Amino acid sequence: MYAQMVQSTGKDVKTTAEMTPEEAAFQARIDAGEKIEPKDWMPPAYRKTLIRQIGQHAHSEIVGQLPEGNWITRAPTLERKAILLAKVQDEAGHGLYLYCAAETLGVSRDDLTEMLLDGRMKYSSIFNYPTLNWSDIGAVGWLVDGAAIINQVPLQRTSFGPYARAMVRVCKEESFHARQGFDAIRKMAEGTPAQKKMAQDSVNRLWFPALMMFGPPDKDSVHSEQSMAWRIKMNTNDELRQKFVDQTVPQIEFLGLDLPDPGTKWNEERGHYDYTDPDWSEFFDVIKGNGPCNVDRLAARNKAWDDGKWVRDGLLAHARKKAAAKVAAE
């Protein structure tokens, strides 16, 4: 769902003269548009960056079920329940695809989960905000998944093969998520005055957190140059954020809602909308664990991990038993 571009660790991009022969050959493959596969040689920093980004992306898909899952039983109609249930199920599948992609880099799913639970890995900041009412679910589908699509479509062309291939299906399903969200918020915007007011409130509260999904401004993204050179990232944070604003502002106007940012206006010279930056101090505070729902989200994941231990242990015991029986038969 949400490959938030919180920057990877690393150094500035090496010049060709500074590269080892292996690094130079690797970069030549990247520059030629070739896909890197798990058994190919790769710089340790490339592997580390991918594990961090794919792991964070997978965690975001799983944690992203939490603000929506508790609305399944409270959806206003049976149709809305079925749609939301399908959406939440999709997010679980996306997490599994991405964990599988990360595992090809030599890190286990258990290791990734433990890094999330003890704070060594993050997930998208947007999921640390609450969904207070039904219109929030529409806004999440429309704004949050809409932002996710803008982040993720370029990742279908990322240099690491398993990640790029996983994103093809993810993006198709995210398109459904964004459409269902827009349809839900449209129903609210076209409903009673009270419903339209709820829709407006949801958009107002989620607009700036959605802008934060693309990560900090480029001027503060001191390590993104290497990710761009390796084609792990295809676009800068600010490029993606601008695309989201340009795409979404006309949709807000179509719905007859007020723009959540009074500073939004069309700039004829640039050919883009100008907009107000989010409060980046809030973004970094949420990333550090101080958002409205950080504690609740991690508590839910820790509980799920602890409650599921007997299932994992049973599956492992069954697998060992089958392996032993196979060896005995041979």
Side-chain angles (χ1 to χ4, degrees):
M1 192 189 267
Y2 315 98
Q4 185 170 37
M5 300 306 175
V6 179
Q7 300 311 317
S8 59
T9 57
K11 298 180 180 179
D12 293 338
V13 179
K14 292 182 179 180
T15 65
T16 304
E18 295 172 325
M19 294 180 185
T20 65
E22 292 86 357
E23 290 172 334
F26 178 83
Q27 188 63 52
R29 292 187 62 195
I30 297 288
D31 294 341
E34 294 183 30
K35 289 286 185 263
I36 305 302
E37 299 300 337
K39 292 185 178 180
D40 295 343
W41 183 88
M42 62 186 72
Y46 177 85
R47 184 185 302 274
K48 182 178 180 180
T49 299
L50 279 171
I51 290 172
R52 185 171 186 267
Q53 180 167 320
I54 299 173
Q56 176 257 301
H57 192 168
H59 296 328
S60 298
E61 300 284 354
I62 299 301
V63 176
Q65 299 173 93
L66 298 176
E68 294 178 311
N70 68 344
W71 279 95
I72 291 173
T73 58
R74 293 183 284 169
T77 68
L78 181 59
E79 180 185 25
R80 293 294 178 188
K81 291 179 194 292
I83 291 171
L84 186 57
L85 182 62
K87 181 182 188 298
V88 172
Q89 179 177 294
D90 282 349
E91 307 300 5
H94 297 173
L96 296 180
Y97 305 153
L98 291 163
Y99 284 134
C100 287
E103 284 178 322
T104 68
L105 292 162
V107 59
S108 75
R109 194 172 309 184
D110 285 2
D111 288 340
L112 291 171
T113 302
E114 288 169 1
M115 284 189 276
L116 168 68
L117 299 182
D118 66 18
R120 284 176 291 156
M121 269 193 172
K122 304 296 184 181
Y123 54 88
S124 182
S125 61
I126 190 67
F127 300 121
N128 289 311
Y129 292 86
T131 47
L132 303 177
N133 52 51
W134 175 253
S135 66
D136 282 4
I137 298 302
V140 165
W142 169 38
L143 298 178
V144 175
D145 291 300
I149 291 170
I150 287 174
N151 254 337
Q152 293 174 1
V153 166
L155 293 176
Q156 295 174 102
R157 296 180 284 110
T158 196
S159 60
F160 186 56
Y163 193 20
R165 291 188 288 272
M167 294 315 302
V168 173
R169 179 167 179 176
V170 170
C171 286
K172 289 179 180 178
E173 293 176 350
E174 292 292 356
S175 296
F176 153 70
H177 300 169
R179 288 196 298 273
Q180 69 81 28
F182 183 80
D183 183 63
I185 204 78
R186 179 182 61 81
K187 289 285 188 181
M188 298 291 290
E190 294 175 353
T192 66
Q195 289 173 324
K196 185 173 182 179
K197 183 178 179 181
M198 288 177 65
Q200 184 69 64
D201 177 64
S202 296
V203 173
N204 290 347
R205 283 185 288 104
L206 290 171
W207 175 253
F208 285 109
L211 293 185
M212 295 176 191
M213 287 180 64
F214 299 97
D218 291 343
K219 62 183 177 62
D220 297 327
S221 299
V222 295
H223 299 300
S224 62
E225 187 179 0
Q226 182 64 77
S227 290
M228 296 282 287
W230 279 332
R231 295 175 66 85
I232 293 173
K233 281 181 62 174
M234 310 301 293
N235 302 91
T236 71
N237 298 349
D238 288 343
E239 288 172 348
L240 295 169
R241 190 167 14 253
Q242 182 69 69
K243 185 174 182 180
F244 173 75
V245 172
D246 290 347
Q247 171 182 293
T248 311
V249 166
Q251 295 174 348
I252 297 173
E253 293 173 335
F254 173 81
L255 292 172
L257 299 176
D258 296 330
L259 295 175
D261 170 17
T264 303
K265 61 180 179 180
W266 179 253
N267 186 317
E268 193 67 41
E269 184 177 346
R270 293 199 311 120
H272 296 286
Y273 284 98
D274 293 334
Y275 61 93
T276 305
D277 268 349
D279 179 352
W280 291 113
S281 63
E282 177 184 324
F283 169 78
F284 287 111
D285 201 38
V286 172
I287 290 295
K288 290 176 184 176
N290 300 317
C293 298
N294 288 71
V295 172
D296 291 342
R297 300 296 186 237
L298 277 180
R301 292 309 306 146
N302 272 281
K303 183 177 187 303
W305 181 250
D306 293 341
D307 290 350
K309 183 178 185 302
W310 70 273
V311 178
R312 296 192 301 275
D313 289 347
L315 290 172
L316 287 171
H318 180 64
R320 286 193 291 267
K321 184 176 179 180
K322 285 184 66 176
K326 184 177 179 181
V327 171
E330 293 173 352

